[in-house]
């Protein structure tokens, strides 16, 4: 793990125990509460293989509130964020960075719940940001037999979106910190990570975690950042252990779009970094306090935690937005829980 990985792990741990951006002065205006709850989804969760999970969540919301649910699928992080900021949606599932940007743009946006870790609490409510390379090329990224971020110089890089927590904010911060004391890179900033220049020879954005992974596997880039939870429906560990540096993953032969074009391809993890879990967030100007309270109680309930269409059993082999192991569930969360990510965004 790099210096930044260790630092972030400590920062995340502190946040768990204590348990850029759009214009903070944006005039979003007021919207009246109506009889429709609009749910906007990031590109990562907008695929057809996630339909059953989205629909089950929608049906649960309809039963609890008595209101119709409309799903809004997107192909761009910025669209989803601005939809919430501009009072055009009630609810969204978005990464911590997306929530922070949305909150900066519209103070009526509040976190609802986050999925926990196996403990069923916020203590282990993390997923993982990966830096991955093609398995056949992994030795190019090693120094003295170990993966090193030093090897990223003048490589072609893929991120997800500059609004992605685990697909940009966390990995770019890790890389900047690593190079901070190296001659010629002392002044690296996040904007330098968005294009070829001081460090990378070229930068692409996948617009989703799946898209960033495919950029690597179809040889458009040499290194890619994406997260474990957005890849787990499509890949399996063939060497090593899940979320361990040096482990090899293979795209399943029956993987759905967009991984169907790179079935059988293998990649290695050169860095693995813990990230605060992504929240469901609500726009109180649009949703209203009553429905917000109702949905917080609903999402935190045993009924949802035990719903196998929402928390899909890991051993089932079925795709899903969330997977059940041990005591995983949703729990309520407050704004200050995301301060660890907020500090990196400044």
């Amino acid at each position: 793990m790099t210096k930044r990985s260790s630092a972030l792990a400590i920062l995340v741990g502190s946040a768990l125990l204590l348990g850029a951006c759009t214009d903070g002065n944006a005039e979003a205006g007021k919207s009246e509460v109506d009889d429709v709850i609009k749910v906007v989804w990031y590109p990562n969760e907008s695929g057809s293989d996630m339909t059953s999970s989205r629909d089950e969540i929608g049906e649960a919301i309809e039963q609890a509130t008595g209101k119709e649910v409309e799903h809004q699928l997107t192909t761009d992080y910025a669209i989803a964020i601005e939809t919430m900021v501009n009072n055009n949606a009630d609810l969204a599932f978005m990464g911590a960075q997306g929530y922070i940007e949305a909150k900066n743009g519209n103070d009526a946006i509040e976190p609802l719940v986050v999925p926990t870790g196996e403990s069923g609490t916020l203590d282990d409510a993390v997923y993982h940001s990966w830096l991955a390379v093609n398995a056949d090329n992994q030795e190019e990224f090693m120094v003295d037999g170990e993966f090193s971020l030093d090897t990223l110089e003048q490589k072609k890089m893929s991120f997800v979106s500059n609004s992605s927590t685990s697909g940009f904010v966390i990995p770019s911060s890790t890389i900047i910190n690593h190079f901070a004391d190296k001659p010629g890179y002392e002044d690296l900033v996040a904007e330098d990570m968005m294009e070829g220049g001081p460090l990378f020879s070229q930068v692409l954005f996948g617009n989703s975690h799946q898209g960033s992974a495919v950029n690597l596997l179809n040889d458009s880039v040499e290194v890619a950042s994406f997260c474990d939870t957005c890849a787990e429906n499509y890949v399996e560990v063939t060497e090593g252990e899940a979320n361990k540096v040096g482990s090899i993953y293979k795209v399943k032969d029956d993987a759905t779009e967009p991984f169907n074009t790179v079935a059988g391809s293998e990649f290695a993890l050169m860095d693995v970094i813990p990230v605060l879990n992504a929240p469901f967030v609500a726009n109180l100007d649009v949703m209203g306090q009553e429905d917000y309270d109702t949905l917080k109680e609903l999402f935190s309930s045993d009924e949802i935690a035990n719903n196998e269409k929402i928390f899909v059993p890991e051993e089932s082999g079925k795709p899903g937005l969330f997977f059940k192991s041990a005591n995983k569930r949703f729990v309520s969360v407050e704004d200050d829980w995301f301060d660890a990510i907020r500090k990196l965004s400044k």
Side-chain angles (χ1 to χ4, degrees):
M1 184 178 284
T2 65
K3 294 185 297 180
R4 185 59 180 184
S5 302
S6 301
L8 180 61
I10 294 171
L11 187 59
V12 168
S14 298
L16 293 172
L17 290 172
L18 293 173
C21 301
T22 53
D23 183 1
N25 295 318
E27 292 289 339
K30 290 281 186 177
S31 291
E32 293 185 5
V33 176
D34 58 23
D35 293 330
V36 177
I37 292 180
K38 296 177 180 178
V39 185
V40 64
W41 299 95
Y42 269 3
N44 314 309
E45 290 78 38
S46 290
S48 59
D49 54 331
M50 305 292 184
T51 301
S52 61
S53 291
R54 292 192 304 264
D55 287 349
E56 189 69 15
I57 290 170
E59 289 178 14
I61 293 172
E62 288 182 341
Q63 291 178 10
T65 63
K67 295 184 176 182
E68 178 186 355
V69 168
E70 292 182 1
H71 297 286
Q72 299 182 2
L73 309 184
T74 66
T75 58
D76 186 272
Y77 274 55
I79 292 173
I81 294 168
E82 288 305 312
T83 297
M84 289 293 290
V85 170
N86 294 329
N87 289 348
N88 290 319
D90 301 69
L91 191 69
F93 180 65
M94 53 176 54
Q97 176 64 18
Y99 161 65
I100 290 165
E101 292 186 16
K103 179 72 171 176
N104 287 344
N106 187 339
D107 196 50
I109 294 171
E110 295 288 344
L112 187 73
V113 294
V114 296
T116 70
E118 292 191 347
S119 71
T121 72
L122 292 176
D123 292 345
D124 55 352
V126 296
Y127 63 116
H128 299 87
S129 173
W130 290 345
L131 285 177
V133 298
N134 280 307
D136 291 342
N137 302 332
Q138 58 182 308
E139 291 186 3
E140 296 179 21
F141 298 89
M142 293 183 178
V143 175
D144 296 330
E146 296 185 356
F147 282 107
S148 171
L149 297 185
D150 289 345
T151 61
L152 295 179
E153 288 184 273
Q154 296 308 302
K155 293 297 194 293
K156 295 179 181 178
M157 178 73 200
S158 178
F159 292 110
V160 175
S161 161
N162 61 3
S163 293
S164 172
T165 310
S166 57
F168 182 74
V169 174
I170 297 300
S172 64
S173 297
T174 297
I175 294 166
I176 290 169
N177 183 76
H178 178 84
F179 280 91
D181 57 356
K182 297 184 182 299
Y185 297 111
E186 301 92 336
D187 298 322
L188 275 179
V189 293
E191 288 74 14
D192 295 324
M193 300 291 101
M194 298 181 192
E195 57 186 21
L199 183 61
F200 302 119
S201 63
Q202 183 181 8
V203 174
L204 300 181
F205 285 92
N207 297 319
S208 68
H209 287 265
Q210 295 89 336
S212 186
V214 171
N215 279 345
L216 172 69
L217 297 173
N218 67 14
D219 294 321
S220 295
V221 298
E222 298 162 279
V223 189
S225 180
F226 51 99
C227 77
D228 59 337
T229 57
C230 290
E232 62 187 340
N233 283 318
Y234 315 95
V235 303
E236 56 191 356
V237 179
T238 56
E239 294 182 31
E241 300 178 26
N243 288 312
K244 297 296 183 182
V245 170
S247 293
I248 306 293
Y249 284 74
K250 178 182 178 180
V251 178
K252 297 176 182 177
D253 292 335
D254 60 351
T256 56
E257 292 183 351
F259 286 88
N260 60 315
T261 61
V262 291
S265 298
E266 292 185 322
F267 61 88
L269 303 184
M270 72 174 295
D271 203 10
V272 177
I273 313 161
V275 185
L276 294 177
N277 273 353
F280 276 95
V281 306
N283 183 324
L284 289 180
D285 280 348
V286 182
M287 176 179 286
Q289 188 68 46
E290 182 178 352
D291 286 334
Y292 175 82
D293 293 341
T294 296
L295 292 185
K296 178 166 284 198
E297 181 177 356
L298 169 70
F299 274 75
S300 302
S301 68
D302 291 341
E303 175 187 358
I304 294 297
N306 296 325
N307 186 324
E308 293 188 354
K309 291 183 179 180
I310 295 176
F311 282 96
V312 179
E314 285 190 334
E315 66 276 8
S316 70
K318 297 179 180 179
L321 287 173
F322 309 99
F323 290 91
K324 185 75 168 185
S325 62
N327 297 314
K328 284 187 177 180
R329 60 186 300 124
F330 294 124
V331 296
S332 61
V333 67
E334 301 300 326
D335 174 79
D336 60 5
W337 192 69
F338 300 98
D339 283 348
I341 304 298
R342 189 173 273 117
K343 291 176 183 177
L344 296 178
S345 304
K346 293 180 178 180

